[in-house]
Amino acid sequence: MEDEEVVIEIIKCEKSDISVTKEDNIIFNDPTDPVLWEGSFTNDQVKLSYTVVVGQYNESETYNFIFNKVNECLKIDRAYKYYDGKLVDVSAVTEMQVSEFYIKDWEINSLFSGLLVYVDPHDKNTYSLKF
């Protein structure tokens, strides 16, 4: 019998009492080119992402977190990292595991803030980021 990966379905409606500030929108604070969270939405989903330049030839990694709207709640659907190798390396998409997320504020199609906890598939470290 094969080992089956257990997927825990987390649907969040309630808000958490965590501290999130305007500065938490900044992933890396650089005076000329800061890395910021970007957000978008459709009728069915909310997407959060950020992009970091990681190489001398502008190779980049984009971290994407997709949430499904379930009634007036959110459910993590998938998370993945896209490595763009530009012209010097192979580009790739790698799935990431989100172990926890907490909502500070959620107003449909207007405001979404909180905390994400995920495991990077390459370095195997767990990261906790506010948005």
Side-chain angles (χ1 to χ4, degrees):
M1 176 183 234
E2 292 182 30
D3 290 337
E4 293 185 22
E5 184 177 320
V6 176
V7 177
I8 299 172
E9 183 172 82
I10 302 172
I11 298 176
K12 295 276 185 171
C13 289
E14 73 279 353
K15 296 177 182 177
S16 298
D17 188 25
I18 56 174
S19 170
V20 178
T21 67
K22 189 166 60 170
E23 288 75 30
D24 290 322
N25 189 49
I26 303 169
I27 302 293
F28 296 108
N29 197 0
D30 181 284
T32 58
D33 194 19
V35 175
L36 306 175
W37 279 105
E38 295 181 16
S40 62
F41 63 89
T42 66
N43 288 337
D44 302 321
Q45 293 185 328
V46 174
K47 177 182 177 183
L48 294 175
S49 64
Y50 66 91
T51 301
V52 180
V53 175
V54 293
Q56 64 182 357
Y57 300 105
N58 286 329
E59 304 99 293
S60 64
E61 292 178 334
T62 300
Y63 294 77
N64 299 280
F65 303 89
I66 312 297
F67 300 85
N68 287 335
K69 294 178 184 175
V70 179
N71 298 321
E72 305 230 351
C73 305
L74 291 174
K75 178 185 116 184
I76 188 71
D77 180 49
R78 63 190 179 280
Y80 61 93
K81 178 164 71 170
Y82 171 65
Y83 172 76
D84 184 354
K86 303 292 185 215
L87 300 175
V88 296
D89 198 1
V90 175
S91 296
V93 174
T94 308
E95 182 180 22
M96 295 189 308
Q97 181 66 44
V98 173
S99 57
E100 302 172 60
F101 77 93
Y102 301 93
I103 296 172
K104 171 64 176 173
D105 291 302
W106 166 237
E107 295 173 21
I108 296 175
N109 301 342
S110 176
L111 175 66
F112 183 32
S113 65
L115 172 76
L116 281 164
V117 180
Y118 67 93
V119 177
D120 186 286
H122 296 113
D123 65 15
K124 307 297 185 217
N125 289 326
T126 299
Y127 294 90
S128 175
L129 289 176
K130 293 180 180 180
F131 56 92

